[in-house]
């Protein structure tokens, strides 16, 4: 998520903007004369909640965030706010704050997901919430190493992104304060070890880094 800047942000933004333009359609499926028939449903509570996920999130913003999370981390999570079986709101949870708790294979849990735990710090206070599997929709990019979590594009090219960011930071440091020192200090006096350490620390703070 922290890598979503510069060219990574630009690429992610272009894709998420395009995906956010999609329109949902709902159909009922039936049989007529032995053939499957799809009938378009134009009004339904599900379409209403998908048109505006919650009072503060429009459809386009919600799809944009969902696509961004999936591209960056491989995971996106929707929290379903229900009244009985009716979904009233959908809230998008940050993927880096979600923990999956797996059930034992002997518990007869179909997908082996026991619960989802959301951990966050709000106003300097720890916030922990437990959600049942039917309260969460988990979108994920298939991960060959972990079938329970996704594998994001940014995660896959993390080293290349890091190297590019370090190169950019080095170039910025060069223009900000010079990448290397271009002078020599001389003295006839004898320097103490404390003085040498202080000078080295000052030079390191000024010129080291990326």
């Amino acid at each position: 998520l922290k890598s979503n800047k510069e060219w990574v942000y630009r690429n992610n933004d272009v894709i998420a903007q395009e995906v956010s333009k999609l329109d949902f359609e709902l159909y009922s499926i039936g049989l007529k004369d032995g053939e499957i028939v799809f009938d378009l449903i134009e009004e339904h509570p599900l379409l209403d909640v998908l048109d505006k996920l919650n009072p503060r999130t429009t459809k386009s913003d919600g799809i944009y965030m969902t696509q961004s999370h999936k591209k960056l981390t491989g995971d996106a999570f929707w929290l379903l706010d229900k009244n009985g079986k009716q979904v009233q709101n959908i809230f998008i949870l940050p993927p880096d704050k979600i923990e999956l708790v797996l059930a034992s294979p002997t518990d007869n849990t179909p997908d082996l997901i026991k619960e989802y735990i959301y951990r966050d710090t709000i106003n300097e206070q720890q916030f922990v919430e437990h959600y049942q599997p039917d309260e969460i929709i988990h979108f994920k990019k298939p991960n060959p190493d972990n079938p329970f979590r996704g594998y994001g594009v940014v995660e896959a090219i993390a080293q290349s992104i890091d190297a590019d960011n370090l190169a950019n930071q080095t170039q910025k440091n060069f223009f900000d304060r010079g990448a290397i020192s271009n002078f020599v200090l001389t003295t006839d006096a004898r320097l103490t070890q404390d003085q040498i350490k202080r000078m080295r620390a000052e030079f390191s703070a000024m010129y080291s880094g990326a």
Side-chain angles (χ1 to χ4, degrees), residues 37-207:
V37 177
F38 298 90
D39 293 321
L40 178 65
I41 300 175
E42 297 185 357
E43 295 185 3
H44 193 279
L46 177 60
L47 293 174
D48 294 336
V49 73
L50 289 175
D51 188 57
K52 189 172 185 180
L53 275 62
N54 61 68
R56 296 180 179 174
T57 308
T58 63
K59 182 206 73 174
S60 59
D61 288 348
I63 298 302
Y64 181 99
M65 286 192 291
T66 301
Q67 177 64 24
S68 294
H69 286 169
K70 191 177 176 184
K71 276 292 183 186
L72 295 170
T73 70
D75 292 303
F77 295 92
W78 282 9
L79 170 63
L80 307 181
D81 176 28
K82 298 181 181 181
N83 182 11
K85 293 184 178 181
Q86 181 67 48
V87 178
Q88 294 183 315
N89 295 287
I90 297 173
F91 297 96
I92 299 175
L93 302 179
D96 59 323
K97 303 183 187 304
I98 299 295
E99 174 188 349
L100 275 66
V101 179
L102 301 181
S104 170
T106 60
D107 291 342
N108 295 322
T109 304
D111 58 2
L112 295 181
I113 303 297
K114 184 178 181 180
E115 65 174 353
Y116 296 85
I117 302 178
Y118 173 50
R119 304 179 190 273
D120 203 351
T121 301
I122 302 175
N123 295 328
E124 300 182 353
Q125 293 185 349
Q126 293 290 329
F127 175 81
V128 179
E129 190 68 38
H130 298 256
Y131 298 115
Q132 294 303 305
D134 64 346
E135 295 179 275
I136 297 290
I137 296 179
H138 182 188
F139 305 91
K140 58 180 180 292
K141 188 76 171 178
N143 185 347
D145 295 327
N146 185 351
F148 301 103
R149 295 303 296 249
Y151 190 54
V153 174
V154 170
E155 185 178 5
I157 60 172
Q159 289 187 349
S160 297
I161 293 174
D162 290 343
D164 188 68
N165 289 337
L166 290 172
N168 290 339
Q169 186 61 47
T170 299
Q171 187 177 38
K172 183 177 184 298
N173 288 347
F174 176 81
F175 289 107
D176 283 347
R177 59 196 183 190
I180 59 174
S181 61
N182 55 1
F183 56 88
V184 176
L185 297 178
T186 64
T187 178
D188 294 331
R190 183 178 180 83
L191 298 179
T192 65
Q193 286 299 316
D194 288 341
Q195 290 174 319
I196 294 174
K197 288 181 180 179
R198 185 176 71 250
M199 292 175 61
R200 286 177 174 170
E202 291 174 353
F203 272 82
S204 177
M206 292 177 62
Y207 298 109

